[in-house]
Amino acid sequence: MTRPILYIAGPYSAGHGRSVTDNIAVARRYAVAAAKAGWMPFTPHLNTAGFEIDCPEIPHSAWLDGDLAILDLLDPAVDAVLMLPGWDKSRGATVERQRALVRGLEIFDPPAHSGCIPPAGGRGLCPHYRQVHYETDSRDTCGSPGMQCPDEKTCPIRRRCR
């Protein structure tokens, strides 16, 4: 079984007392903690670390567009986004968070330290969730009598683990 993906979003560019190197190190610490908690971390900081030096002809916006394309591939039923400390001071991380909200992904706010990553174990799709396919579109539906997901399950309708 594939591990659920935890997309890690936070400041990359220097600012607010931290360098690019500092921000990459913070993202790496959280990525390691996420892997230990059962997630498959996707960390843009590590994916293109130093590319602003290696590829100066590529604008920052192109890197962000690529990250958003990857974010769009995540499955709202099992994958999630972790916001790093200071995300609210980062234009890129703010855009990533907004995209995650629109997509219905679960978003975890910054934990106090890198050991506070929610465990991936036990997450899964609610057995009451159904996607009904019509000739021209699809709809999410819930077959639960009480419109409740069982403990430790989630669905695109509710987005949160219970």
Side-chain angles (χ1 to χ4, degrees):
M1 182 173 151
T2 304
R3 288 172 170 232
I5 296 170
L6 185 63
Y7 182 103
I8 299 178
Y12 178 88
S13 301
H16 305 284
R18 291 197 302 201
S19 68
V20 170
T21 302
D22 294 334
N23 288 330
I24 291 170
V26 167
R28 182 178 173 76
R29 276 198 312 275
Y30 281 92
V32 168
K36 290 179 179 179
W39 297 95
M40 178 52 63
F42 177 80
T43 315
H45 299 70
L46 302 176
N47 190 50
T48 56
F51 279 29
E52 70 280 2
I53 296 166
D54 298 332
C55 309
E57 68 280 3
I58 300 175
H60 183 266
S61 61
W63 300 116
L64 180 58
D65 288 345
D67 294 338
L68 293 174
I70 291 167
L71 191 64
D72 286 343
L73 297 173
L74 299 184
D75 181 351
V78 293
D79 302 326
V81 175
L82 175 73
M83 304 306 298
L84 295 178
W87 72 265
D88 54 332
K89 296 175 182 77
S90 164
R91 280 186 297 157
T94 301
V95 170
E96 289 168 318
R97 182 184 179 92
Q98 185 59 35
R99 180 66 65 88
L101 285 168
V102 167
R103 296 245 16 266
L105 291 161
E106 180 152 14
I107 299 173
F108 300 117
D109 288 320
H113 58 82
S114 62
C116 291
I117 304 293
R123 291 193 53 163
L125 191 60
C126 176
H128 302 294
Y129 169 75
R130 299 283 182 267
Q131 191 172 53
V132 181
H133 300 283
Y134 298 100
E135 196 169 312
T136 57
D137 76 286
S138 298
R139 304 267 167 112
D140 293 330
T141 64
C142 178
S144 170
M147 295 290 289
Q148 290 269 140
C149 292
D151 288 344
E152 300 301 319
K153 299 296 179 184
T154 188
C155 75
I157 297 169
R158 271 172 270 312
R159 296 190 315 236
R160 306 221 39 104
C161 287
R162 300 278 189 252

